[in-house]
């Protein structure tokens, strides 16, 4: 069997799946896709988990490039910018549910 896809592509996609493979991170990415860019305080009020937990998960998503952030003064706003991650989230959740 011969594949026309490089081993690096498989490695990158496997790493993306690992980054997304946590319920809080899935919820964060889906929520940002559905609601648009948000700051940690707004995200925390929606999820009801400690802000430190959200910050840790956001850092992992940002480090892999799933999220980007913009700073305005002391406020940091996060947005989903990784196209493959967006496609995965859409595929994981029923098309009848808004994203």
């Amino acid at each position: 069997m011969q594949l026309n896809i490089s081993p690096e592509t498989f490695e990158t996609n496997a790493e993306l799946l690992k980054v997304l493979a946590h319920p809080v991170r899935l919820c964060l990415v889906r929520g940002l896709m559905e609601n648009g860019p948000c700051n940690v305080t707004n995200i925390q009020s929606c999820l009801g988990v400690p802000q430190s937990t959200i910050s840790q998960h956001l850092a992992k998503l940002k480090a892999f490039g799933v999220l980007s952030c913009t700073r305005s003064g002391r406020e940091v706003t996060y947005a989903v910018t990784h196209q493959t991650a967006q496609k995965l989230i859409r595929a994981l959740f029923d098309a009848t549910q808004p994203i």
Side-chain angles (χ1 to χ4, degrees), residues 12 15-21 25-26 28-30 32-33 57-69 78-86 88-89:
T12 300
E15 291 300 317
L16 175 60
L17 290 171
K18 288 179 194 176
V19 168
L20 293 174
R25 290 193 290 270
L26 281 174
L28 284 169
V29 174
R30 186 174 187 273
L32 288 168
M33 286 174 61
H57 288 292
L58 288 171
K60 286 184 182 188
L61 292 165
K62 183 180 173 226
F64 191 81
V66 173
L67 304 179
S68 66
C69 62
Y78 294 89
V80 181
T81 54
H82 197 284
Q83 298 298 314
T84 305
Q86 290 178 6
L88 282 169
I89 296 299

Side-chain angles (χ1 to χ4, degrees), residues 45-63:
S45 68
C46 291
L47 290 179
V49 296
Q51 187 169 338
S52 60
T53 301
I54 292 171
S55 293
Q56 290 173 357
H57 288 292
L58 288 171
K60 286 184 182 188
L61 292 165
K62 183 180 173 226

Side-chain angles (χ1 to χ4, degrees), residues 1-7 9-10:
M1 175 171 73
Q2 187 171 17
L3 300 174
N4 293 329
I5 302 170
S6 71
T9 299
F10 285 105

Side-chain angles (χ1 to χ4, degrees), residues 3 5 14 20 27 32 34 36 44 48 68 86 93-95 97 99:
L3 300 174
I5 302 170
L20 293 174
C27 185
L32 288 168
E34 188 174 307
Q44 192 264 333
S68 66
Q86 290 178 6
F93 295 96
D94 184 32
Q97 297 175 356
I99 290 184

